Amino acid sequence: MTEPADLRHVDTWLFDLDNTLYPAESGFMGEIERRMTAFVQKVTGLPRDDAYRLQKDYLREHGLTLIGLMKHHGVEPAEFHALFHDLSLEALAHDPELLAALERLPGRRLIFTNADDVHAERVLARLGLADLFDDVFHIGLTDYRPKPDPAAFAAMNAAHGIAPATAAFFEDSERNLAPAAELGMTTVLVGPHAPASAAPFVHHRTARLAPFLAAAQVKEAA
């Protein structure tokens, strides 16, 4: 049996949003992907399969499909983000176990997402978690430099005066954890693929966020 993580040094808790604060198995990101592919088709005129490949190429190259669309096709961020503002949130459900686990964490809780503020606020409200976070640091606040760009982390740290040595970052994307570890943050990979990760910059791995947080050793409340 895995020992509970010792996170008693942590006083700032950073969480990615999509596929981290809700399970990837919800299928919610699938609809986001479908809309994104249709948009790439519209912008480029490519067949669907080619548009999907380009979408993924931009994601790998730039950290976010949007950045490739901005650089190569003149897409405005507001136009892109509007695609997702009317998404049905039915796939997302309250998780009382996660809510209780988050509530027990001492210090600040922040969202650090490559999505925009409207999407983040809608998802947090649907999950019943909005009141548990001190702020949402979204893609617009990084001047559209997405994770894993170190500049995104620098902007986040500067905005909130974060001391990396006492911060933990929870993410479903392995590569987004690399710059966090480089800064000295404790990194936690979340999701069904996490237990198989062998990346040296991933300090903890968990298939499910709530039980990991519930079991972790954290600083006693003052």
Side-chain angles (χ1 to χ4, degrees):
M1 182 175 176
T2 306
E3 288 292 316
D6 187 348
L7 301 179
R8 286 173 291 185
H9 62 290
V10 176
D11 59 22
T12 300
W13 308 82
L14 308 177
F15 292 88
D16 173 53
L17 180 72
D18 290 307
N19 281 357
T20 297
L21 287 183
Y22 59 81
E25 297 85 352
S26 70
F28 180 64
M29 281 297 294
E31 180 57 25
I32 291 177
E33 290 252 339
R34 283 187 286 275
R35 290 196 182 194
M36 203 179 301
T37 303
F39 183 76
V40 174
Q41 274 188 279
K42 175 185 169 184
V43 167
T44 64
L46 290 170
R48 184 172 182 82
D49 288 351
D50 292 340
Y52 180 78
R53 278 192 290 273
L54 183 63
Q55 171 186 331
K56 293 304 182 183
D57 287 345
Y58 285 164
L59 176 63
R60 281 189 293 272
E61 183 179 350
H62 301 289
L64 200 61
T65 299
L66 168 60
I67 308 306
L69 292 172
M70 290 168 63
K71 288 186 174 182
H72 302 293
H73 307 279
V75 169
E76 290 294 327
E79 179 188 8
F80 179 82
H81 289 305
L83 295 171
F84 315 112
H85 292 171
D86 65 347
L87 276 171
S88 169
L89 302 175
E90 297 242 338
L92 305 180
H94 284 214
D95 182 348
E97 185 185 7
L98 178 58
L99 190 148
L102 288 167
E103 280 183 328
R104 72 183 281 262
L105 301 179
R108 298 179 295 172
R109 309 177 201 104
L110 305 167
I111 297 294
F112 185 19
T113 178
N114 280 345
D116 77 333
D117 53 343
V118 175
H119 175 78
E121 288 161 8
R122 291 185 76 231
V123 169
L124 288 172
R126 172 68 180 180
L127 295 173
L129 302 177
D131 292 341
L132 293 181
F133 290 93
D134 297 275
D135 194 23
V136 173
F137 198 79
H138 56 85
I139 186 65
L141 298 176
T142 71
D143 194 25
Y144 295 94
R145 294 169 298 184
K147 300 174 290 183
D149 189 331
F153 288 82
M156 173 75 178
N157 290 350
H160 289 284
I162 293 169
T166 58
F169 183 38
F170 297 77
E171 253 278 6
D172 71 296
S173 172
E174 183 181 84
R175 72 175 186 163
N176 287 349
L177 293 174
E182 183 69 23
L183 288 168
M185 294 181 183
T186 298
T187 60
V188 185
L189 185 61
V190 179
H193 57 288
S197 169
F201 53 81
V202 174
H203 302 133
H204 302 284
R205 300 158 179 81
T206 182
R208 293 184 56 226
L209 180 59
F212 175 88
L213 289 176
Q217 300 178 61
V218 300
K219 194 182 302 180
E220 293 292 332

PDB file of all heavy atoms in Angstrom, residues 18-27 29 171-174 188-198 204-210:
ATOM      1  N   ASP A  18      -9.388  21.434 -16.093  1.00  0.00           N
ATOM      2  CA  ASP A  18     -10.015  20.362 -16.869  1.00  0.00           C
ATOM      3  C   ASP A  18      -9.258  19.044 -16.750  1.00  0.00           C
ATOM      4  O   ASP A  18      -8.029  19.000 -16.863  1.00  0.00           O
ATOM      5  CB  ASP A  18     -10.108  20.780 -18.339  1.00  0.00           C
ATOM      6  CG  ASP A  18     -11.135  21.883 -18.542  1.00  0.00           C
ATOM      7  OD1 ASP A  18     -12.287  21.699 -18.108  1.00  0.00           O
ATOM      8  OD2 ASP A  18     -10.782  22.926 -19.116  1.00  0.00           O
ATOM      9  N   ASN A  19     -10.026  17.980 -16.501  1.00  0.00           N
ATOM     10  CA  ASN A  19      -9.502  16.623 -16.313  1.00  0.00           C
ATOM     11  C   ASN A  19      -8.622  16.483 -15.076  1.00  0.00           C
ATOM     12  O   ASN A  19      -7.932  15.474 -14.916  1.00  0.00           O
ATOM     13  CB  ASN A  19      -8.737  16.128 -17.552  1.00  0.00           C
ATOM     14  CG  ASN A  19      -9.658  15.650 -18.652  1.00  0.00           C
ATOM     15  OD1 ASN A  19     -10.873  15.624 -18.491  1.00  0.00           O
ATOM     16  ND2 ASN A  19      -9.087  15.270 -19.774  1.00  0.00           N
ATOM     17  N   THR A  20      -8.641  17.499 -14.211  1.00  0.00           N
ATOM     18  CA  THR A  20      -7.930  17.413 -12.938  1.00  0.00           C
ATOM     19  C   THR A  20      -8.919  17.516 -11.781  1.00  0.00           C
ATOM     20  O   THR A  20      -8.933  16.674 -10.888  1.00  0.00           O
ATOM     21  CB  THR A  20      -6.863  18.527 -12.824  1.00  0.00           C
ATOM     22  OG1 THR A  20      -5.882  18.343 -13.847  1.00  0.00           O
ATOM     23  CG2 THR A  20      -6.164  18.491 -11.471  1.00  0.00           C
ATOM     24  N   LEU A  21      -9.777  18.536 -11.815  1.00  0.00           N
ATOM     25  CA  LEU A  21     -10.780  18.691 -10.751  1.00  0.00           C
ATOM     26  C   LEU A  21     -12.043  17.881 -11.019  1.00  0.00           C
ATOM     27  O   LEU A  21     -12.943  17.835 -10.180  1.00  0.00           O
ATOM     28  CB  LEU A  21     -11.136  20.165 -10.570  1.00  0.00           C
ATOM     29  CG  LEU A  21     -10.061  21.019  -9.890  1.00  0.00           C
ATOM     30  CD1 LEU A  21     -10.570  22.447  -9.695  1.00  0.00           C
ATOM     31  CD2 LEU A  21      -9.638  20.441  -8.549  1.00  0.00           C
ATOM     32  N   TYR A  22     -12.102  17.256 -12.165  1.00  0.00           N
ATOM     33  CA  TYR A  22     -13.156  16.275 -12.437  1.00  0.00           C
ATOM     34  C   TYR A  22     -12.488  15.143 -13.215  1.00  0.00           C
ATOM     35  O   TYR A  22     -11.437  15.339 -13.833  1.00  0.00           O
ATOM     36  CB  TYR A  22     -14.322  16.889 -13.219  1.00  0.00           C
ATOM     37  CG  TYR A  22     -13.947  17.491 -14.550  1.00  0.00           C
ATOM     38  CD1 TYR A  22     -13.792  16.700 -15.680  1.00  0.00           C
ATOM     39  CD2 TYR A  22     -13.729  18.853 -14.679  1.00  0.00           C
ATOM     40  CE1 TYR A  22     -13.434  17.240 -16.902  1.00  0.00           C
ATOM     41  CE2 TYR A  22     -13.373  19.417 -15.892  1.00  0.00           C
ATOM     42  CZ  TYR A  22     -13.233  18.599 -17.008  1.00  0.00           C
ATOM     43  OH  TYR A  22     -12.871  19.140 -18.207  1.00  0.00           O
ATOM     44  N   PRO A  23     -13.038  13.942 -13.178  1.00  0.00           N
ATOM     45  CA  PRO A  23     -12.369  12.796 -13.811  1.00  0.00           C
ATOM     46  C   PRO A  23     -12.419  12.864 -15.328  1.00  0.00           C
ATOM     47  O   PRO A  23     -13.422  13.262 -15.922  1.00  0.00           O
ATOM     48  CB  PRO A  23     -13.159  11.591 -13.285  1.00  0.00           C
ATOM     49  CG  PRO A  23     -14.487  12.139 -12.882  1.00  0.00           C
ATOM     50  CD  PRO A  23     -14.250  13.547 -12.431  1.00  0.00           C
ATOM     51  N   ALA A  24     -11.326  12.457 -15.945  1.00  0.00           N
ATOM     52  CA  ALA A  24     -11.277  12.411 -17.407  1.00  0.00           C
ATOM     53  C   ALA A  24     -12.375  11.512 -17.956  1.00  0.00           C
ATOM     54  O   ALA A  24     -12.880  11.737 -19.066  1.00  0.00           O
ATOM     55  CB  ALA A  24      -9.908  11.908 -17.853  1.00  0.00           C
ATOM     56  N   GLU A  25     -12.773  10.531 -17.165  1.00  0.00           N
ATOM     57  CA  GLU A  25     -13.790   9.571 -17.610  1.00  0.00           C
ATOM     58  C   GLU A  25     -15.167  10.223 -17.792  1.00  0.00           C
ATOM     59  O   GLU A  25     -16.079   9.606 -18.351  1.00  0.00           O
ATOM     60  CB  GLU A  25     -13.909   8.423 -16.600  1.00  0.00           C
ATOM     61  CG  GLU A  25     -12.652   7.593 -16.452  1.00  0.00           C
ATOM     62  CD  GLU A  25     -11.645   8.180 -15.467  1.00  0.00           C
ATOM     63  OE1 GLU A  25     -11.848   9.321 -14.991  1.00  0.00           O
ATOM     64  OE2 GLU A  25     -10.641   7.503 -15.186  1.00  0.00           O
ATOM     65  N   SER A  26     -15.338  11.455 -17.327  1.00  0.00           N
ATOM     66  CA  SER A  26     -16.622  12.144 -17.492  1.00  0.00           C
ATOM     67  C   SER A  26     -16.959  12.349 -18.970  1.00  0.00           C
ATOM     68  O   SER A  26     -18.127  12.468 -19.340  1.00  0.00           O
ATOM     69  CB  SER A  26     -16.587  13.509 -16.803  1.00  0.00           C
ATOM     70  OG  SER A  26     -15.728  14.406 -17.503  1.00  0.00           O
ATOM     71  N   GLY A  27     -15.936  12.421 -19.797  1.00  0.00           N
ATOM     72  CA  GLY A  27     -16.153  12.646 -21.220  1.00  0.00           C
ATOM     73  C   GLY A  27     -16.365  14.107 -21.593  1.00  0.00           C
ATOM     74  O   GLY A  27     -16.551  14.430 -22.771  1.00  0.00           O
ATOM     75  N   MET A  29     -14.312  16.611 -21.785  1.00  0.00           N
ATOM     76  CA  MET A  29     -13.314  17.150 -22.708  1.00  0.00           C
ATOM     77  C   MET A  29     -13.525  16.673 -24.137  1.00  0.00           C
ATOM     78  O   MET A  29     -13.057  17.295 -25.085  1.00  0.00           O
ATOM     79  CB  MET A  29     -11.904  16.767 -22.240  1.00  0.00           C
ATOM     80  CG  MET A  29     -11.369  17.631 -21.116  1.00  0.00           C
ATOM     81  SD  MET A  29     -11.168  19.371 -21.572  1.00  0.00           S
ATOM     82  CE  MET A  29      -9.855  19.256 -22.793  1.00  0.00           C
ATOM     83  N   GLU A 171      -1.842  18.404 -11.772  1.00  0.00           N
ATOM     84  CA  GLU A 171      -2.079  18.490 -13.219  1.00  0.00           C
ATOM     85  C   GLU A 171      -2.366  17.118 -13.801  1.00  0.00           C
ATOM     86  O   GLU A 171      -1.849  16.126 -13.320  1.00  0.00           O
ATOM     87  CB  GLU A 171      -0.820  19.029 -13.911  1.00  0.00           C
ATOM     88  CG  GLU A 171      -0.901  20.451 -14.423  1.00  0.00           C
ATOM     89  CD  GLU A 171      -1.584  20.598 -15.776  1.00  0.00           C
ATOM     90  OE1 GLU A 171      -2.120  19.608 -16.316  1.00  0.00           O
ATOM     91  OE2 GLU A 171      -1.580  21.727 -16.281  1.00  0.00           O
ATOM     92  N   ASP A 172      -3.171  17.098 -14.890  1.00  0.00           N
ATOM     93  CA  ASP A 172      -3.366  15.834 -15.620  1.00  0.00           C
ATOM     94  C   ASP A 172      -2.395  15.719 -16.787  1.00  0.00           C
ATOM     95  O   ASP A 172      -2.269  14.645 -17.365  1.00  0.00           O
ATOM     96  CB  ASP A 172      -4.808  15.729 -16.125  1.00  0.00           C
ATOM     97  CG  ASP A 172      -5.083  16.696 -17.275  1.00  0.00           C
ATOM     98  OD1 ASP A 172      -5.009  17.920 -17.052  1.00  0.00           O
ATOM     99  OD2 ASP A 172      -5.355  16.231 -18.397  1.00  0.00           O
ATOM    100  N   SER A 173      -1.717  16.813 -17.148  1.00  0.00           N
ATOM    101  CA  SER A 173      -0.759  16.792 -18.256  1.00  0.00           C
ATOM    102  C   SER A 173       0.655  16.684 -17.707  1.00  0.00           C
ATOM    103  O   SER A 173       1.138  17.603 -17.035  1.00  0.00           O
ATOM    104  CB  SER A 173      -0.891  18.071 -19.089  1.00  0.00           C
ATOM    105  OG  SER A 173       0.154  18.153 -20.044  1.00  0.00           O
ATOM    106  N   GLU A 174       1.319  15.573 -18.007  1.00  0.00           N
ATOM    107  CA  GLU A 174       2.641  15.327 -17.444  1.00  0.00           C
ATOM    108  C   GLU A 174       3.618  16.450 -17.792  1.00  0.00           C
ATOM    109  O   GLU A 174       4.339  16.960 -16.933  1.00  0.00           O
ATOM    110  CB  GLU A 174       3.174  13.989 -17.962  1.00  0.00           C
ATOM    111  CG  GLU A 174       4.519  13.597 -17.381  1.00  0.00           C
ATOM    112  CD  GLU A 174       5.000  12.260 -17.952  1.00  0.00           C
ATOM    113  OE1 GLU A 174       5.606  12.268 -19.052  1.00  0.00           O
ATOM    114  OE2 GLU A 174       4.756  11.233 -17.312  1.00  0.00           O
ATOM    115  N   VAL A 188       2.209  16.845  -8.702  1.00  0.00           N
ATOM    116  CA  VAL A 188       1.315  15.699  -8.569  1.00  0.00           C
ATOM    117  C   VAL A 188       0.606  15.484  -9.901  1.00  0.00           C
ATOM    118  O   VAL A 188      -0.126  16.356 -10.373  1.00  0.00           O
ATOM    119  CB  VAL A 188       0.280  15.906  -7.450  1.00  0.00           C
ATOM    120  CG1 VAL A 188      -0.558  14.631  -7.266  1.00  0.00           C
ATOM    121  CG2 VAL A 188       0.946  16.309  -6.141  1.00  0.00           C
ATOM    122  N   LEU A 189       0.817  14.327 -10.508  1.00  0.00           N
ATOM    123  CA  LEU A 189       0.151  13.966 -11.750  1.00  0.00           C
ATOM    124  C   LEU A 189      -1.154  13.240 -11.418  1.00  0.00           C
ATOM    125  O   LEU A 189      -1.167  12.305 -10.623  1.00  0.00           O
ATOM    126  CB  LEU A 189       1.053  13.070 -12.598  1.00  0.00           C
ATOM    127  CG  LEU A 189       0.546  12.696 -13.991  1.00  0.00           C
ATOM    128  CD1 LEU A 189       0.352  13.932 -14.861  1.00  0.00           C
ATOM    129  CD2 LEU A 189       1.513  11.716 -14.660  1.00  0.00           C
ATOM    130  N   VAL A 190      -2.237  13.690 -12.050  1.00  0.00           N
ATOM    131  CA  VAL A 190      -3.571  13.191 -11.728  1.00  0.00           C
ATOM    132  C   VAL A 190      -4.206  12.558 -12.958  1.00  0.00           C
ATOM    133  O   VAL A 190      -4.094  13.091 -14.066  1.00  0.00           O
ATOM    134  CB  VAL A 190      -4.465  14.351 -11.237  1.00  0.00           C
ATOM    135  CG1 VAL A 190      -5.873  13.844 -10.908  1.00  0.00           C
ATOM    136  CG2 VAL A 190      -3.849  15.050 -10.023  1.00  0.00           C
ATOM    137  N   GLY A 191      -4.873  11.432 -12.786  1.00  0.00           N
ATOM    138  CA  GLY A 191      -5.628  10.830 -13.871  1.00  0.00           C
ATOM    139  C   GLY A 191      -5.318   9.359 -14.041  1.00  0.00           C
ATOM    140  O   GLY A 191      -4.387   8.825 -13.434  1.00  0.00           O
ATOM    141  N   PRO A 192      -6.089   8.669 -14.883  1.00  0.00           N
ATOM    142  CA  PRO A 192      -5.928   7.223 -15.040  1.00  0.00           C
ATOM    143  C   PRO A 192      -4.564   6.803 -15.563  1.00  0.00           C
ATOM    144  O   PRO A 192      -4.107   5.693 -15.320  1.00  0.00           O
ATOM    145  CB  PRO A 192      -7.037   6.844 -16.031  1.00  0.00           C
ATOM    146  CG  PRO A 192      -7.436   8.125 -16.693  1.00  0.00           C
ATOM    147  CD  PRO A 192      -7.194   9.207 -15.697  1.00  0.00           C
ATOM    148  N   HIS A 193      -3.880   7.710 -16.281  1.00  0.00           N
ATOM    149  CA  HIS A 193      -2.554   7.416 -16.833  1.00  0.00           C
ATOM    150  C   HIS A 193      -1.449   7.688 -15.830  1.00  0.00           C
ATOM    151  O   HIS A 193      -0.304   7.293 -16.047  1.00  0.00           O
ATOM    152  CB  HIS A 193      -2.323   8.300 -18.059  1.00  0.00           C
ATOM    153  CG  HIS A 193      -2.460   9.756 -17.740  1.00  0.00           C
ATOM    154  ND1 HIS A 193      -3.687  10.337 -17.476  1.00  0.00           N
ATOM    155  CD2 HIS A 193      -1.538  10.741 -17.592  1.00  0.00           C
ATOM    156  CE1 HIS A 193      -3.502  11.619 -17.205  1.00  0.00           C
ATOM    157  NE2 HIS A 193      -2.217  11.893 -17.261  1.00  0.00           N
ATOM    158  N   ALA A 194      -1.758   8.367 -14.733  1.00  0.00           N
ATOM    159  CA  ALA A 194      -0.725   8.847 -13.805  1.00  0.00           C
ATOM    160  C   ALA A 194       0.114   7.733 -13.185  1.00  0.00           C
ATOM    161  O   ALA A 194       1.349   7.861 -13.105  1.00  0.00           O
ATOM    162  CB  ALA A 194      -1.363   9.713 -12.720  1.00  0.00           C
ATOM    163  N   PRO A 195      -0.497   6.637 -12.697  1.00  0.00           N
ATOM    164  CA  PRO A 195       0.329   5.620 -12.029  1.00  0.00           C
ATOM    165  C   PRO A 195       1.430   5.036 -12.906  1.00  0.00           C
ATOM    166  O   PRO A 195       2.447   4.558 -12.390  1.00  0.00           O
ATOM    167  CB  PRO A 195      -0.704   4.547 -11.644  1.00  0.00           C
ATOM    168  CG  PRO A 195      -1.994   5.299 -11.499  1.00  0.00           C
ATOM    169  CD  PRO A 195      -1.941   6.339 -12.572  1.00  0.00           C
ATOM    170  N   ALA A 196       1.265   5.101 -14.218  1.00  0.00           N
ATOM    171  CA  ALA A 196       2.266   4.525 -15.121  1.00  0.00           C
ATOM    172  C   ALA A 196       3.395   5.508 -15.455  1.00  0.00           C
ATOM    173  O   ALA A 196       4.376   5.124 -16.095  1.00  0.00           O
ATOM    174  CB  ALA A 196       1.601   4.075 -16.417  1.00  0.00           C
ATOM    175  N   SER A 197       3.279   6.745 -15.015  1.00  0.00           N
ATOM    176  CA  SER A 197       4.293   7.749 -15.349  1.00  0.00           C
ATOM    177  C   SER A 197       5.625   7.436 -14.671  1.00  0.00           C
ATOM    178  O   SER A 197       5.669   7.085 -13.500  1.00  0.00           O
ATOM    179  CB  SER A 197       3.831   9.144 -14.915  1.00  0.00           C
ATOM    180  OG  SER A 197       4.888  10.078 -14.998  1.00  0.00           O
ATOM    181  N   ALA A 198       6.702   7.596 -15.423  1.00  0.00           N
ATOM    182  CA  ALA A 198       8.045   7.408 -14.875  1.00  0.00           C
ATOM    183  C   ALA A 198       8.860   8.698 -14.954  1.00  0.00           C
ATOM    184  O   ALA A 198      10.075   8.675 -14.747  1.00  0.00           O
ATOM    185  CB  ALA A 198       8.765   6.292 -15.623  1.00  0.00           C
ATOM    186  N   HIS A 204       4.565  12.872  -7.226  1.00  0.00           N
ATOM    187  CA  HIS A 204       3.476  11.999  -6.761  1.00  0.00           C
ATOM    188  C   HIS A 204       2.544  11.720  -7.931  1.00  0.00           C
ATOM    189  O   HIS A 204       2.387  12.547  -8.830  1.00  0.00           O
ATOM    190  CB  HIS A 204       2.692  12.667  -5.622  1.00  0.00           C
ATOM    191  CG  HIS A 204       3.520  13.029  -4.439  1.00  0.00           C
ATOM    192  ND1 HIS A 204       3.969  12.098  -3.523  1.00  0.00           N
ATOM    193  CD2 HIS A 204       4.017  14.241  -4.027  1.00  0.00           C
ATOM    194  CE1 HIS A 204       4.686  12.711  -2.587  1.00  0.00           C
ATOM    195  NE2 HIS A 204       4.730  14.002  -2.872  1.00  0.00           N
ATOM    196  N   ARG A 205       1.898  10.548  -7.880  1.00  0.00           N
ATOM    197  CA  ARG A 205       0.999  10.124  -8.950  1.00  0.00           C
ATOM    198  C   ARG A 205      -0.266   9.554  -8.321  1.00  0.00           C
ATOM    199  O   ARG A 205      -0.188   8.765  -7.378  1.00  0.00           O
ATOM    200  CB  ARG A 205       1.666   9.043  -9.810  1.00  0.00           C
ATOM    201  CG  ARG A 205       2.958   9.491 -10.465  1.00  0.00           C
ATOM    202  CD  ARG A 205       3.851   8.322 -10.856  1.00  0.00           C
ATOM    203  NE  ARG A 205       5.076   8.777 -11.508  1.00  0.00           N
ATOM    204  CZ  ARG A 205       6.148   9.221 -10.863  1.00  0.00           C
ATOM    205  NH1 ARG A 205       6.162   9.233  -9.517  1.00  0.00           N
ATOM    206  NH2 ARG A 205       7.214   9.647 -11.536  1.00  0.00           N
ATOM    207  N   THR A 206      -1.414   9.926  -8.897  1.00  0.00           N
ATOM    208  CA  THR A 206      -2.660   9.379  -8.378  1.00  0.00           C
ATOM    209  C   THR A 206      -3.708   9.304  -9.480  1.00  0.00           C
ATOM    210  O   THR A 206      -3.846  10.230 -10.286  1.00  0.00           O
ATOM    211  CB  THR A 206      -3.206  10.224  -7.206  1.00  0.00           C
ATOM    212  OG1 THR A 206      -4.407   9.615  -6.695  1.00  0.00           O
ATOM    213  CG2 THR A 206      -3.506  11.668  -7.612  1.00  0.00           C
ATOM    214  N   ALA A 207      -4.424   8.212  -9.537  1.00  0.00           N
ATOM    215  CA  ALA A 207      -5.490   8.067 -10.524  1.00  0.00           C
ATOM    216  C   ALA A 207      -6.670   8.968 -10.180  1.00  0.00           C
ATOM    217  O   ALA A 207      -7.352   9.479 -11.066  1.00  0.00           O
ATOM    218  CB  ALA A 207      -5.943   6.612 -10.601  1.00  0.00           C
ATOM    219  N   ARG A 208      -6.884   9.182  -8.867  1.00  0.00           N
ATOM    220  CA  ARG A 208      -8.017  10.006  -8.433  1.00  0.00           C
ATOM    221  C   ARG A 208      -7.544  11.046  -7.424  1.00  0.00           C
ATOM    222  O   ARG A 208      -6.793  10.742  -6.496  1.00  0.00           O
ATOM    223  CB  ARG A 208      -9.113   9.140  -7.816  1.00  0.00           C
ATOM    224  CG  ARG A 208      -9.798   8.203  -8.808  1.00  0.00           C
ATOM    225  CD  ARG A 208     -10.942   7.448  -8.146  1.00  0.00           C
ATOM    226  NE  ARG A 208     -11.899   8.361  -7.561  1.00  0.00           N
ATOM    227  CZ  ARG A 208     -12.403   8.224  -6.328  1.00  0.00           C
ATOM    228  NH1 ARG A 208     -12.029   7.219  -5.557  1.00  0.00           N
ATOM    229  NH2 ARG A 208     -13.273   9.103  -5.862  1.00  0.00           N
ATOM    230  N   LEU A 209      -7.995  12.278  -7.614  1.00  0.00           N
ATOM    231  CA  LEU A 209      -7.525  13.395  -6.792  1.00  0.00           C
ATOM    232  C   LEU A 209      -8.053  13.345  -5.363  1.00  0.00           C
ATOM    233  O   LEU A 209      -7.289  13.533  -4.404  1.00  0.00           O
ATOM    234  CB  LEU A 209      -7.937  14.715  -7.451  1.00  0.00           C
ATOM    235  CG  LEU A 209      -7.523  15.998  -6.731  1.00  0.00           C
ATOM    236  CD1 LEU A 209      -6.008  16.068  -6.579  1.00  0.00           C
ATOM    237  CD2 LEU A 209      -8.056  17.207  -7.495  1.00  0.00           C
ATOM    238  N   ALA A 210      -9.348  13.103  -5.186  1.00  0.00           N
ATOM    239  CA  ALA A 210      -9.961  13.214  -3.857  1.00  0.00           C
ATOM    240  C   ALA A 210      -9.314  12.305  -2.812  1.00  0.00           C
ATOM    241  O   ALA A 210      -8.925  12.783  -1.733  1.00  0.00           O
ATOM    242  CB  ALA A 210     -11.467  12.967  -3.944  1.00  0.00           C
TER     243      ALA A 210
END
